Amino acid sequence: MGKLIVKNTKLQDVKLITPAVFGDNRGFFTESYSDRDFKVAGIDFDFIQDNHSLSTQAGVLRGLHFQRGKAAQTKLIRVVTGAVLDVIVDVRKGSPTYKQWEGYLLTASNHRQLLVPKGFAHGFVTLTDNVNFLYKCDNYYDAAADGGISFKDPDLAIDWPIDLDQAITSEKDAQQPTFAEFEQDNPFVYGEI
């Protein structure tokens, strides 16, 4: 089929992927995932779980989440309806981009996918109503290994495109620790996960 366009980002090991899209007056067709094509492009992960979330309103903020230890996950993220600003933070001690964040616009129309390696905290804010957000994981979810960092952390200073006091979020996400609190017991070391 078509070629994947794979771009490195400013964050170490993170890739922005755009698959070939074939459109006409009926709509479009794309191979959203082909193990063969991804491996040819140097993206070689054994994705074993697919997750799907629906956010019904603009302004829903989910994150920043990660899985600790052996439950750490690499994620391949895409949006199939609506639009999000997807934000990740490198939490791997010793990484050249440690404690840096970057945001990526993922929409149904741009077809971009984001490869988020193990050792990144991940979150997103919906920019439209009715966002269907899908992601593949190379490890199963483990509730005991669940972790997070506050999306409001002033040290990270993430430039969210909404008023954070108006964000629609879960009680759990509203009470996540700051990066400084997380850093005291940070289990992620660059090159060891």
Side-chain angles (χ1 to χ4, degrees):
M1 204 84 208
K3 286 191 109 38
L4 294 174
I5 298 170
V6 180
K7 293 184 178 177
N8 292 323
T9 69
K10 79 170 191 174
L11 296 178
Q12 186 76 31
D13 306 317
V14 176
K15 311 277 186 211
L16 196 57
I17 302 155
T18 306
V21 178
F22 305 93
D24 61 24
N25 63 322
R26 300 167 298 163
F28 73 87
F29 173 83
T30 187
E31 286 183 354
S32 59
Y33 181 77
S34 164
D35 187 63
R36 177 193 59 222
D37 291 348
F38 272 68
K39 284 181 179 169
V40 167
I43 301 168
D44 189 3
F45 295 93
D46 184 18
F47 292 112
I48 60 173
Q49 179 175 310
D50 281 0
N51 297 328
H52 183 160
S53 74
L54 169 66
S55 299
T56 58
Q57 302 171 69
V60 170
L61 201 157
R62 299 178 187 257
L64 302 161
H65 304 142
F66 55 82
Q67 292 269 283
R68 290 182 168 86
K70 293 183 188 227
Q73 297 174 321
T74 296
K75 297 175 183 175
L76 181 63
I77 297 165
R78 67 190 180 104
V79 169
V80 295
T81 60
V84 303
L85 178 69
D86 197 273
V87 173
I88 58 175
V89 180
D90 190 344
V91 298
R92 303 168 299 171
K93 290 184 280 191
S95 165
T97 55
Y98 182 64
K99 201 175 173 183
Q100 293 179 32
W101 70 270
E102 192 166 21
Y104 309 89
L105 182 63
L106 304 179
T107 73
S109 59
N110 72 18
H111 302 280
R112 289 189 202 157
Q113 298 182 37
L114 184 65
L115 180 74
V116 182
K118 295 174 182 172
F120 281 79
H122 169 258
F124 66 89
V125 62
T126 58
L127 304 176
T128 63
D129 293 343
N130 296 316
V131 171
N132 278 281
F133 186 91
L134 281 68
Y135 57 104
K136 296 181 168 306
C137 300
D138 70 346
N139 210 346
Y140 297 110
Y141 174 77
D142 180 354
D146 197 39
I149 298 169
S150 174
F151 59 83
K152 287 185 173 185
D153 188 300
D155 288 337
L156 293 176
I158 296 170
D159 187 16
W160 296 104
I162 63 168
D163 177 349
L164 294 181
D165 293 329
Q166 302 298 316
I168 304 163
T169 192
S170 68
E171 186 176 324
K172 174 182 131 183
D173 286 349
Q175 298 177 10
Q176 294 286 10
T178 65
F179 193 93
E181 292 166 327
F182 154 76
E183 207 168 21
Q184 295 170 14
D185 297 312
N186 183 351
F188 299 105
V189 178
Y190 183 67
E192 294 182 13
I193 51 175

